[in-house]
Amino acid sequence: MVNIDHQTDSPPMRDESLFYLFSPVTRIKGLGDATAQALVRLLPAATAQSGGGLPIIRDLLFHVPINIVNREFTCPLLEAPDGVVGTFIVRIDAHHAPTGYRGKRPYKVSCSNDTGHITLVFFNASGEYIKQNLPIGGERVISGRLEHFDHHLQMTHPDIIATVDKYEDVKKPEAVYPLTIGLSSKRIGKYVDTAIEKLPALPEWIATEWIQHNKWPDWKTALQTAHHPQCEDELSPLSPARSRLAYDEMLANQLHLAMLRRNKHQQTGEIIKGTGKLTQQLIETLPFKLTGGQYEVLAEIHTDMQSGKRMGRLLQGDVGSGKTIIALLAMLRVAEQGLQSALMIPTEIIAQQHYETIRKLTAPFGVNVALLTGSIKGKAREAVLDGIATGATTILIGTHALFQEHVQFKQLAFVVIDEQHRFGVAQRMALTNKGNTPHLLHMTATPIPRSLTMTLYGDMDASTLKEKPAERLPITTRVIPLSRYNDIMERMKDVLEKGEKIYWICPLIEEKIIEGELEITPESDIAAAETRFIEFKERFGPIVGLVHGRMKNDQRDIEMRRFASGETRLLVATTVVEVGVDVRDATIIVIEQAERFGLSQLHQLRGRVGRGSKPSFCVLLASDRASEISQARLKTLRESEDGFHIAEADLQIRGGGDLLGHRQSGLPKFIFMDLLEHHQLLEHAKTDASQFLQADPNLVSERGKSLQRLLQLFA
Ligand code: ADP
Ligand code: MG
């Protein structure tokens, strides 16, 4: 293999020492096709380049045990307790093959030693097999779960039957892996051992002092230890071996992000000063005053944009904190200089809404705003594309369709991404790589804990909008059991008669991200919404509306408008209304099966109300059997309106993976790292990575080269 100079643009070739790790699992001696297929169900399949659809050895080695079975226990057979796993040396006294054909009678083997008797019980077993392995008169080690049946001690299907010389081996703790059909923990363990034996020792990539300080083993030993836990403590993410592996992962992650950040800072960016004309006009026409926080963020953005470097900034701001206006003012600043901006939004419905709002606000100053989504086709699309290409359009708003190849800008200088958490790091990078280097502003309404910000957005500078626009009344949140459905109907009737507007959110829809665009799937949830819609129409009459993800866009748009205008006042909706939709006089939101939503997601939904000056309510309808955890989560929500606090609490209760709700998090998948347990290590990894890069930006020192290997290992 040729080594490519690391200075070139293409990623460096994989180091030879990693070839084995990146080979398909079938490279492991003795691992056949059937096992490989079973492993496909258990592990991620490799990308076409290396594994041919099969998992790679690295992923098998990263699949670590989740439990151990302790076989150390032994006792006099007469005193054996029920339900415990134990290991014994016994003499085989007699075989009792099943007779007759009535039902499935087991094959029984009577055994004993000086301390008592035990019967081994086998269902559907081959008599031959049993006779061979448990010959009458012989002695064997047996290990398995003990039970009593009719006052007789027995062991059904011993886990282990071995010759007496294996006694000590059998008593060793046994690793238990997450499994799938066709694989046992023992088999996985065997293949893992074979693979580890083949591994080259890799030069250390962690700083010596840090290894010593933590008393961590080297990488290969750590892997080995992780696969052979001897006690419960060794399963803990804080055990030396697992901490080390987690640190490797964090270090790779932080190094990667630090490199992205550095590259971004090295890129030049258009210097945007603007004239202040359009922005000033807009500020004067707004029906409200910008908050101090909004001014601060704007100032940060302007500083970035004038620096000559490319901006990469994350704007975190709770629901309703007024991010859109910041984006718009920044885009106008760009327009003042005759350059183009794009605002990218995850769903069509919100893209349309932003388009309307922004068009209305900017029309008086002659700013040309256009909308581009997947459903704009034919002539209309051509017209939009034309406007973008000629530069007639200065602000483009749209979904991810915006960034398909044939969208050519005349001079794109600024890209804003709204509701960032729906786009993963990879998509962000795809954007970053798009030809010229526009300034980037990422806005997220999901306040996330610091540790997550670091892993998700470590490639960016961050701004936070803490303050909410003034004169907002708090939202009263209630958790109500579903059994009180009828009471709620009564209350809704009263409230609707008073002219209020209500959102009714139906249970969570499974969401899929396809090529960056949010797709909303299963029919069943839509069916639930349709059923509610029909029911409510009968109950409350024509003031009931319905929106869901399967509706045609224009249809959904019409429905949203009817709700906004007051033609309908009870809107049954699936989570399409989750983000961004702005109907200021809606005062009540009812969320069905609230326990199925992520906390942060609930918080966002709640943010649909409380946007005007009237007091608002959020009703969390929880099924009566909602688990304790769900109850605790809902309580958090009831007690706090601070998105950051809620996010932290959600992390505490559920751990990181689930934080942002079902399948929409865009969170990188961590193998060893546990956001809760390892956050201090993560801090260290961050510092470590950025300090090292400062000293050795091209990773050419000894440790630098090892770190390159680490990056490849986790690539
Ligand atoms: P988000 O941060 O959730 O995207 P929006 O930008 O949609 O919030 O703002 C929510 C609502 O608050 C909008 O109707 C917007 O016009 C309004 N708003 C924004 N800034 C202020 C402000 N400084 N004072 C009063 N209302 C504001
Ligand atoms: Mg918004």
Side-chain angles (χ1 to χ4, degrees), residues 288-291 294 317-325 354 418-419 445 465 469-472 580 582 584 608 611:
F288 50 77
K289 271 208 177 102
L290 292 182
T291 63
Q294 284 171 317
D318 211 345
V319 176
S321 58
K323 295 184 294 298
T324 315
I325 206 73
H354 277 65
D418 197 7
E419 305 302 352
L465 260 184
E471 82 222 39
R472 289 267 159 86
D582 195 17
R584 300 193 71 168
R608 297 309 104 209
R611 304 195 143 219

Side-chain angles (χ1 to χ4, degrees), residues 130-368:
I130 295 173
K131 277 180 201 143
Q132 251 176 37
N133 286 282
L134 294 162
I136 294 172
E139 266 195 328
R140 289 293 182 272
V141 183
I142 54 164
S143 183
R145 194 168 296 278
L146 300 167
E147 61 196 358
H148 284 87
F149 187 74
D150 264 355
H151 305 291
H152 279 78
L153 180 64
Q154 64 177 40
M155 186 185 286
T156 306
H157 295 276
D159 301 329
I160 296 173
I161 299 171
T163 47
V164 177
D165 56 314
K166 299 272 163 50
Y167 183 63
E168 287 308 321
D169 278 349
V170 171
K171 289 214 317 185
K172 279 185 192 152
E174 190 180 287
V176 178
Y177 289 90
L179 290 177
T180 180
I181 299 168
L183 272 179
S184 66
S185 284
K186 238 194 229 147
R187 292 252 305 285
I188 293 184
K190 199 183 94 193
Y191 296 131
V192 164
D193 286 347
T194 313
I196 291 181
E197 214 158 278
K198 275 261 179 181
L199 288 186
L202 301 176
E204 187 57 75
W205 45 70
I206 300 180
T208 319
E209 315 82 67
W210 187 238
I211 284 269
Q212 283 168 353
H213 171 81
N214 288 290
K215 303 194 173 65
W216 283 341
D218 64 70
W219 181 70
K220 195 171 160 179
T221 312
L223 260 186
Q224 213 148 20
T225 310
H227 282 283
H228 294 278
Q230 299 298 307
C231 58
E232 295 279 326
D233 279 355
E234 290 191 3
L235 291 169
S236 155
L238 296 177
S239 70
R242 293 199 182 205
S243 295
R244 193 238 136 93
L245 295 171
Y247 191 78
D248 288 346
E249 187 173 29
M250 290 180 240
L251 189 57
N253 171 256
Q254 289 303 316
L255 206 54
H256 180 64
L257 290 171
M259 286 162 83
L260 288 178
R261 200 163 51 224
R262 186 192 59 191
N263 289 347
K264 205 163 280 170
H265 285 156
Q266 279 173 357
Q267 287 168 331
T268 52
E270 192 84 44
I271 295 181
I272 292 168
K273 287 209 159 79
T275 58
K277 212 174 139 224
L278 293 171
T279 39
Q280 209 44 51
Q281 268 178 308
L282 179 67
I283 289 172
E284 275 159 23
T285 43
L286 283 176
F288 50 77
K289 271 208 177 102
L290 292 182
T291 63
Q294 284 171 317
Y295 275 116
E296 266 170 46
V297 174
L298 272 171
E300 285 172 331
I301 293 172
H302 289 166
T303 308
D304 285 358
M305 283 185 165
Q306 289 176 52
S307 70
K309 301 262 184 239
R310 184 181 195 194
M311 171 170 81
R313 185 166 285 279
L314 170 73
L315 171 53
Q316 284 184 289
D318 211 345
V319 176
S321 58
K323 295 184 294 298
T324 315
I325 206 73
I326 294 180
L328 177 57
L329 284 166
M331 291 193 293
L332 285 180
R333 182 66 57 131
V334 173
E336 287 167 356
Q337 210 158 306
L339 300 174
Q340 294 172 298
S341 301
L343 172 58
M344 181 169 158
I345 286 158
T347 64
E348 292 214 0
I349 189 167
I350 302 161
Q352 273 166 6
Q353 191 176 33
H354 277 65
Y355 171 67
E356 305 276 295
T357 314
I358 290 177
R359 204 187 45 178
K360 257 184 240 143
L361 282 171
T362 56
F365 330 130
V367 177
N368 187 332

